[in-house]
């Protein structure tokens, strides 16, 4: 079986060779930005699940900037995890953003000027969840950049009582893979894939995390991610 890291390298190289990526460069070792990200975001806005959602969590990476901005334009509340989950989540409510400044407010360099960091106890119920991806399989299996943050973010909100919610990945069609992606029990799968060409329903047969697998959390992770300690304290998990 091909490893996740091998698939990552293939996808990053393909995007580079075909010149399908865009700033920031290099594409490797990150969730790659891609040409057509706005088209992928537009496909998402057509979904009933999107239209009905009030609070949406989106990863902070560049290719998801178009959807973050659109969420604010559409009068929805945006939640973005802080880098490496150091400080939990940033919330931006649409009424805090002057008309025409949605893209600026959704950018990492300015988001804190429009939104605020909130404690996990203040998290609203989230209706829709976007996960940044390096590669996706049409059956919902996902490969991120290898640090496990999307998996953990979903596990955290479920641990805190959020109901199961749809997960969406927006990627370039070149990031779709037919490879048999290896899967661990804590891996997050996606329900929908939006590319610059189409919207794909995965009908994924794989279950999503229902909470944090505490036996797999290391002391180092507890030290580096205070948010994990907060979750443990809030849920009385020892």
């Amino acid at each position: 079986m091909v490893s996740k890291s091998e698939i990552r390298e293939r996808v990053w190289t393909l995007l580079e060779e075909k010149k399908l990526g865009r700033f920031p460069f290099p594409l490797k070792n990150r969730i790659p930005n891609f040409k057509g990200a706005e088209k992928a975001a537009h496909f998402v806005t057509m979904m009933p699940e999107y239209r009905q959602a009030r609070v949406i969590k989106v990863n902070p990476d560049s290719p998801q900037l178009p959807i973050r901005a659109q969420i604010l334009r559409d009068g929805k509340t945006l939640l973005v995890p802080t880098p490496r989950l150091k400080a939990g989540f940033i919330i931006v409510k649409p009424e805090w953003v002057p008309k025409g400044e949605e893209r600026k407010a959704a950018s990492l360099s300015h988001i804190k000027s429009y939104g605020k960091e909130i404690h996990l106890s203040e998290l609203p119920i989230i209706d829709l969840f976007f996960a940044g991806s390096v590669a996706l399989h049409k059956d919902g299996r996902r490969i991120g950049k290898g640090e496990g943050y999307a998996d953990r973010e979903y596990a955290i909100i479920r641990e805190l009582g959020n109901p199961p919610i749809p997960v969406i990945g927006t990627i370039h069609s070149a990031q779709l893979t037919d490879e048999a992606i290896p899967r661990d029990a804590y891996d997050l799968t996606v329900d929908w894939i939006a590319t610059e060409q189409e919207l794909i329903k995965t009908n994924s047969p794989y279950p999503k995390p229902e909470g944090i697998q505490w036996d797999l959390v290391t002391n180092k992770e507890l030290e580096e991610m205070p948010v994990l300690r907060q979750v443990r304290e809030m849920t009385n998990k020892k």
Side-chain angles (χ1 to χ4, degrees):
M1 183 180 282
V2 181
S3 70
K4 291 179 182 177
S5 60
E6 288 174 307
I7 297 173
R8 275 188 206 101
E9 290 296 331
R10 287 181 191 175
V11 170
W12 283 325
T13 300
L14 178 63
L15 290 175
E16 287 176 346
E17 290 178 347
K18 300 287 187 182
K19 294 183 168 44
L20 299 172
R22 62 185 186 186
F23 181 84
F25 295 102
L27 301 178
K28 291 190 175 185
N29 300 315
R30 71 171 83 238
I31 301 297
N33 199 3
F34 62 93
K35 294 176 180 177
E38 288 79 10
K39 290 181 180 177
H42 179 70
F43 278 119
V44 170
T45 64
M46 300 293 103
M47 296 173 56
E49 291 88 344
Y50 173 83
R51 292 182 172 179
Q52 293 162 12
R54 294 182 179 181
V55 180
I56 304 176
K57 176 266 160 189
V58 187
N59 54 297
D61 304 283
S62 297
Q64 281 70 49
L65 175 57
I67 193 65
R68 293 197 301 271
Q70 192 59 46
I71 285 166
L72 294 172
R73 288 189 198 103
D74 291 336
K76 303 175 187 294
T77 295
L78 173 66
L79 270 177
V80 178
T82 56
R84 306 186 74 81
L85 279 177
K86 287 281 188 184
F89 295 82
I90 298 170
I91 188 169
V92 187
K93 294 189 177 181
E95 60 266 28
W96 298 346
V97 181
K99 189 171 178 61
E101 295 182 29
E102 293 87 0
R103 187 176 176 91
K104 183 179 178 182
S107 68
L108 271 196
S109 52
H110 297 284
I111 192 168
K112 284 187 180 179
S113 300
Y114 293 85
K116 65 174 184 177
E117 292 177 0
I118 56 172
H119 188 272
L120 291 181
S121 61
E122 301 174 89
L123 269 184
I125 294 296
I126 299 167
D127 304 307
L128 206 55
F129 187 107
F130 282 79
S133 306
V134 175
L136 291 172
H137 192 286
K138 286 186 178 181
D139 69 3
R141 282 178 289 175
R142 169 187 168 274
I143 295 178
K145 61 184 175 185
E147 296 180 331
Y149 285 101
D151 308 313
R152 190 142 284 170
E153 289 156 18
Y154 190 88
I156 285 170
I157 67 169
R158 293 287 284 119
E159 187 84 25
L160 294 176
N162 208 96
I165 51 174
V167 177
I168 302 172
T170 61
I171 58 169
H172 193 278
S173 53
Q175 293 171 257
L176 286 170
T177 180
D178 292 325
E179 298 276 10
I181 296 176
R183 187 179 171 277
D184 294 302
Y186 51 78
D187 283 343
L188 183 64
T189 51
V190 302
D191 301 292
W192 295 89
I193 300 170
T195 75
E196 81 292 357
Q197 296 178 348
E198 61 183 331
L199 186 64
I200 302 165
K201 187 173 184 179
T202 67
N203 296 307
S204 182
Y206 304 106
K208 294 181 180 62
E210 295 181 0
I212 296 170
Q213 292 185 272
W214 291 106
D215 55 321
L216 299 179
V217 176
T218 65
N219 288 331
K220 183 181 179 185
E221 287 174 320
L222 285 171
E223 198 63 42
E224 292 178 347
M225 278 191 265
V227 69
L228 285 175
R229 293 202 304 276
Q230 291 175 23
V231 173
R232 194 164 66 171
E233 289 163 7
M234 290 170 65
T235 57
N236 295 313
K237 296 285 176 67
K238 302 297 182 186

